[in-house]
Amino acid sequence: MDNFTKPKVLVGKKADLMSRLADEVEMGIRMRAAENRGFVLGLATGSTPIPLYQELVRRHREEGLSFQNVITFNLDEYEGLAPDHPKSYHAYMEKHLFGQVDVRPERTFLPLGNYEDESRAAQYYEAKIREFGGIDLQILGIGRDGHIGFNEPGSGRETRTRRVALAEVTREDAASGFGGIENVPTHAMTMGVATILEARRIILIATGEGKREVVQEAINGMVNSAVPATFLQDHSNTAWYLDAAAAG
């Protein structure tokens, strides 16, 4: 991979990385507002982006940052969990961001977890992303097995929003939040790799020593479906925001 296509890597303290990412989100919101257009933001869940959401809430409350022109699309949702289920990503987003800023509820989208027809649910989500012109900025995390979204190892570059089986390591990592692995759903609905790669800009956040090995593989390893995050090497506007432990 030549220098032109290498992703940008930013290494720093977690608080500084989150502030820098909040700057990018705010810039996008304000630029689109000046154009009288919506800013389409792809969101991630888990513990890593919580400080980002806290900073965005602070800017809304203390500095007047408005989310009125923001449209959001989350990466994934657990199968079988209704939006009001306390462990759903719907509930997570309501707690950490949506319920604390002025984003319009009808413009916040997450994959359905309690779908009746998985194909229709997936097609609907893809259609909604297209309806709003595609994602301007997609925020990602990375799993210990190299997944992005819930695109587990074996997910190809061409995959789109769909139902997936969760890898055992993914369920293990979620077990504490569910009170044991036996309570963690076995499947989920996720954006596909191709869906993610269509975002105009992607920023992946990784922190902690536990992510060091997979981050190095994702940035420097051979592009292949065994580590889906390696597909980000082929995206021309991806940045990696890493703390020192994850950067190695």
Side-chain angles (χ1 to χ4, degrees):
M1 190 171 63
D2 59 30
N3 289 332
F4 180 76
T5 57
K6 282 186 178 178
K8 177 183 177 183
V9 178
L10 180 66
V11 180
K13 295 181 179 178
K14 185 173 182 178
D16 295 335
L17 296 173
M18 294 302 173
S19 180
R20 179 77 170 265
L21 181 48
D23 288 344
E24 289 225 26
V25 173
E26 180 171 356
M27 180 175 64
I29 292 172
R30 295 192 183 280
M31 286 179 62
R32 287 290 191 246
E35 299 165 353
N36 199 29
R37 296 170 58 191
F39 179 63
V40 185
L41 178 61
L43 298 174
T45 51
S47 59
T48 301
I50 289 176
L52 166 66
Y53 299 144
Q54 292 172 335
E55 174 61 13
L56 292 174
V57 169
R58 186 197 67 78
R59 294 184 188 200
H60 169 68
R61 292 177 174 173
E62 299 179 10
E63 300 174 8
L65 177 62
S66 175
F67 290 76
Q68 281 286 295
N69 75 316
V70 175
I71 304 100
T72 67
F73 287 93
N74 268 73
L75 286 164
D76 39 39
E77 179 59 284
Y78 288 110
E79 181 176 271
L81 302 191
D84 60 353
H85 190 286
K87 298 301 182 183
S88 73
Y89 286 151
H90 285 75
Y92 169 103
M93 292 306 310
E94 185 67 21
K95 174 182 178 180
H96 293 294
L97 185 64
F98 298 160
Q100 302 190 62
V101 297
D102 62 341
V103 66
R104 290 187 267 176
E106 69 273 15
R107 301 183 95 181
T108 60
F109 298 94
L110 293 92
L112 284 177
N114 58 338
Y115 43 78
E116 295 182 3
D117 184 322
E118 63 184 76
S119 178
R120 288 185 62 185
Q123 291 173 16
Y124 171 83
Y125 206 63
E126 290 279 334
K128 277 295 176 184
I129 294 173
R130 291 194 301 270
E131 178 184 329
F132 285 99
I135 294 171
D136 291 309
L137 170 61
Q138 177 66 61
I139 297 166
L140 294 178
I142 185 171
R144 286 191 293 146
D145 59 1
H147 72 238
I148 50 176
F150 274 141
N151 293 285
E152 302 284 17
S155 298
R157 186 198 309 268
E158 75 288 349
T159 54
R160 307 205 72 89
T161 301
R162 69 205 188 284
R163 178 181 186 255
V164 295
L166 299 179
E168 195 69 8
V169 65
T170 300
R171 297 182 66 237
E172 289 171 358
D173 287 345
S176 61
F178 280 85
I181 193 170
E182 67 277 6
N183 300 318
V184 180
T186 59
H187 291 75
M189 184 71 77
T190 185
M191 281 188 198
V193 174
T195 316
I196 291 169
L197 292 177
E198 287 173 357
R200 296 176 184 88
R201 178 157 173 76
I202 297 172
I203 297 178
L204 189 148
I205 318 165
T207 59
E209 188 175 352
K211 298 294 178 69
R212 179 186 301 171
E213 184 175 346
V214 74
V215 163
Q216 291 304 315
E217 177 67 20
I219 294 175
N220 300 309
M222 181 177 67
V223 177
N224 68 98
S225 62
V227 182
T230 59
F231 290 120
L232 297 175
Q233 293 179 27
D234 295 333
H235 190 276
S236 63
N237 194 12
T238 288
W240 293 74
Y241 281 20
L242 312 172
D243 70 358

